[in-house]
């Protein structure tokens, strides 16, 4: 609500709700999908999860990860952990 630029990105990214109960949420870099487990979280936690996925899109983590995936699956796993940590740290610093 405090960043018009971020709000524009959040409005631009299409998002979908899935009936699949095997995951919380994910992005493929162009859309965000919330799974059945998404609804197990409190409203503020859901907002955090959604914004987390938007940040992956905004920072172009998925297209950049595809380049890393060419090297190995292990590199992709470490890349995802690192980008999750960066995003979660940044979001935890927001007031």
């Amino acid at each position: 609500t405090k960043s018009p630029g971020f709000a524009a990105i959040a409005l631009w990214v299409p998002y979908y709700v899935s009936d699949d109960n095997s995951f919380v949420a994910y992005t493929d870099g162009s859309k965000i999908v919330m799974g059945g487990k998404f609804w197990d979280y409190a409203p503020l936690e859901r907002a955090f999860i959604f914004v987390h996925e938007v940040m992956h899109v905004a920072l172009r983590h998925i297209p950049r990860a595809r380049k890393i995936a060419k090297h190995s699956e292990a590199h992709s796993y470490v890349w995802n952990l690192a980008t999750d940590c960066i995003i979660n740290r940044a979001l935890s610093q927001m007031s």
Side-chain angles (χ1 to χ4, degrees), residues 16-23 26 33-39:
Y16 304 91
V17 176
S18 171
D19 293 333
D20 186 343
N21 288 320
S22 67
F23 67 95
Y26 72 86
V33 181
M34 281 80 76
K37 291 183 179 180
F38 181 79
W39 308 106

Side-chain angles (χ1 to χ4, degrees), residues 11-73:
L11 289 170
W12 167 80
V13 178
Y15 58 93
Y16 304 91
V17 176
S18 171
D19 293 333
D20 186 343
N21 288 320
S22 67
F23 67 95
V24 176
Y26 72 86
T27 181
D28 66 0
S30 62
K31 70 178 177 293
I32 296 169
V33 181
M34 281 80 76
K37 291 183 179 180
F38 181 79
W39 308 106
D40 294 343
Y41 292 87
L44 284 176
E45 292 171 315
R46 290 194 304 262
F48 188 95
I49 293 165
F50 179 75
V51 171
H52 173 101
E53 298 302 334
V54 170
M55 290 293 291
H56 277 301
V57 175
L59 297 172
R60 298 191 38 79
H61 286 164
I62 307 309
R64 292 164 58 199
R66 289 185 185 122
K67 292 178 184 177
I68 291 168
K70 292 178 185 176
H71 300 287
S72 78
E73 190 174 314

